[in-house]
Amino acid sequence: VLGERIERQLYAVLENLIRAKYTRLRRAILEQVNLELEILRFQLRLAKDLRCLPLKSYGLAARHITDVGRQVGGWYRQSRE
């Protein structure tokens, strides 16, 4: 169940990033992406703590999520509405 929720959260992030790409009013969407990334961080941490996700995989996923978060933050700061 947790793996399925993580997968759905990833799809939500992807869908909102695509929406943000094709609209001029993207700040609200990017704020939503930041919230979704934060939820995803907690879900991954829970999966690691429950030993559903190996530590090495958790570390890799956490780094990628941090990278995406930085890119979203830069895009947010760059966008002017």
Side-chain angles (χ1 to χ4, degrees):
V1 174
L2 182 57
E4 186 177 312
R5 293 195 62 173
I6 290 171
E7 188 175 343
R8 286 184 187 165
Q9 197 68 32
L10 285 167
Y11 280 119
V13 168
L14 176 62
E15 289 169 6
N16 277 324
L17 286 173
I18 292 169
R19 279 186 189 92
K21 179 181 178 184
Y22 290 101
T23 185
R24 295 181 72 188
L25 305 173
R26 62 180 54 106
R27 288 185 78 124
I29 297 171
L30 294 174
E31 288 174 2
Q32 181 65 33
V33 170
N34 275 331
L35 176 61
E36 291 166 348
L37 287 172
E38 188 66 21
I39 292 168
L40 187 57
R41 285 182 187 98
F42 277 92
Q43 289 172 331
L44 286 170
R45 198 170 304 134
L46 180 61
K48 175 192 61 95
D49 291 345
L50 294 174
R51 297 185 182 165
C52 299
L53 185 65
L55 188 59
K56 186 175 181 179
S57 297
Y58 168 75
L60 180 63
R63 279 193 298 277
H64 286 302
I65 291 171
T66 299
D67 289 343
V68 171
R70 281 191 193 117
Q71 292 173 9
V72 168
W75 195 10
Y76 180 84
R77 286 185 297 278
Q78 179 186 13
S79 66
R80 302 273 189 247
E81 295 183 324

